């Protein structure tokens, strides 16, 4: 075989192997493969890295990301998502790239963005790895809703602000409860009712049923308030939670009826 031809073939094979190794290390994910990759409940810290082929800063970060992904001393997996080909970044309101989500057991512990040195990224990974895992599962699927956002009278209850919570059951519940406790305007309370209905639509638990029952009572709908309160009490009993608060509300509803 011609020596030049042999060297050329050898170069192509070597380059192909290197390219294959790089692609494997990059671990690209899509909307469809999130559940089996980023969302796995295995107690390992993961970085979901939002990027795109046209992104200059992302290209600058490539060696750093690759170095960390291939470092066997770091117990981390880095998953890349091409924002041009997926919807998860839109649902998760990723407005600029590069952006990095730090995730464990399917829950986001924090996020960062822009280019950074390797040491900075490693420090962020280690810091998030030590955090206590809590909160909602990453709402990347964007569960459809039969409800539409209703703005409140309060200046902060705008559609833009409420959209940021639309896929988080617990944040919706927390805000709805704060509105119940602190605001009296009917428009605010009706806004809160939509928020709590959306919270229940995403995930039903005792706390958001209790919030809904309180809101309905405050809005004067005793029949639906009592019905929701009974659901909350039943669920609390099934899950071994205290029913004291909801029983107190039920007595108040009956007294006011």
């Amino acid at each position: 075989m011609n020596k030049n031809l042999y060297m050329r073939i050898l170069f192509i094979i070597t380059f192909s192997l290197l390219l294959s190794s790089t692609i494997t290390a990059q671990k690209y994910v899509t909307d469809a493969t999130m559940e089996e990759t980023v969302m796995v409940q295995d107690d390992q810290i993961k970085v979901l890295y939002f990027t795109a082929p046209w992104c200059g800063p992302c290209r600058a970060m490539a060696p750093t990301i690759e170095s960390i992904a291939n470092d066997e001393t770091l117990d981390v997996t880095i998953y890349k998502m091409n924002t041009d080909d997926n919807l998860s970044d839109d649902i998760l309101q990723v407005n600029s790239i590069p952006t990095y989500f730090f995730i464990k057991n399917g829950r986001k512990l924090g996020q960062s963005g822009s280019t950074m040195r390797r040491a900075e990224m490693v420090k962020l990974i280690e810091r998030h790895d030590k955090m206590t895992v809590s909160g909602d599962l990453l709402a990347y699927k964007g569960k459809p809703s039969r409800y539409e956002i209703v703005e409140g009278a309060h200046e902060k209850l705008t559609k833009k602000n409420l959209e940021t919570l639309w896929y988080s059951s617990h944040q919706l519940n927390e805000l709805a409860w704060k509105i119940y406790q602190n605001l009296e305007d009917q428009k605010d309370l009706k806004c809160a009712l939509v928020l709590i209905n959306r919270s229940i639509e995403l995930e039903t638990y005792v706390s958001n049923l209790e919030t809904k029952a309180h809101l309905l009572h405050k809005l004067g709908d005793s029949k639906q308030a009592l019905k929701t309160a009974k659901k909350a009490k039943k669920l609390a009993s099934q899950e071994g939670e205290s029913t004291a608060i909801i029983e107190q509300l039920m007595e108040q509803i009956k007294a006011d009826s």
Side-chain angles (χ1 to χ4, degrees), residues 73-223:
T73 67
L74 296 172
D75 186 19
V76 62
T77 302
I78 297 180
Y79 294 104
K80 286 186 172 185
M81 175 170 281
N82 186 342
T83 58
D84 289 347
D85 299 332
N86 296 281
L87 294 175
S88 294
D89 56 294
D90 296 321
I91 294 167
L92 295 169
Q93 299 186 8
V94 176
N95 298 316
S96 63
I97 54 175
T99 288
Y100 321 94
F101 279 18
F102 300 91
I103 297 166
K104 185 183 284 188
N105 293 340
R107 290 162 173 81
K108 190 176 85 168
L109 303 174
Q111 74 179 74
S112 187
S114 74
T115 58
M116 64 182 74
R117 294 179 179 179
R118 186 184 191 280
E120 292 178 280
M121 176 60 81
V122 170
K123 189 174 181 180
L124 282 171
I125 290 169
E126 291 175 343
R127 189 180 79 192
H128 285 94
D129 192 22
K130 294 176 182 177
M131 290 182 179
T132 301
V133 179
S134 63
D136 294 328
L137 289 171
L138 191 69
Y140 71 94
K141 292 181 180 178
K143 184 177 180 179
S145 179
R146 61 192 180 95
Y147 303 102
E148 291 187 7
I149 294 174
V150 174
E151 294 187 342
H154 193 281
E155 60 181 7
K156 291 187 177 180
L157 296 178
T158 64
K159 184 176 181 180
K160 183 178 179 181
N161 288 340
L162 298 177
E163 281 176 341
T164 64
L165 311 176
W166 200 240
Y167 298 101
S168 174
S169 177
H170 289 276
Q171 289 186 57
L172 289 164
N173 181 38
E174 287 173 11
L175 179 57
W177 182 252
K178 287 179 181 177
I179 293 172
Y180 164 77
Q181 288 184 308
N182 300 298
L183 301 177
E184 300 294 333
D185 193 293
Q186 289 286 300
K187 190 174 181 180
D188 291 325
L189 296 175
K190 288 177 180 178
C191 168
L193 187 59
V194 171
L195 298 181
I196 202 61
N197 280 331
R198 172 58 173 167
S199 173
I200 293 168
E201 184 178 56
L202 289 167
E203 181 185 358
T204 303
Y205 45 90
V206 176
S207 179
N208 57 8
L209 286 173
E210 287 181 346
T211 299
K212 182 175 180 178
H214 278 87
L215 276 167
L216 287 167
H217 181 228
K218 195 168 185 176
L219 283 163
D221 191 344
S222 298
K223 183 178 179 181

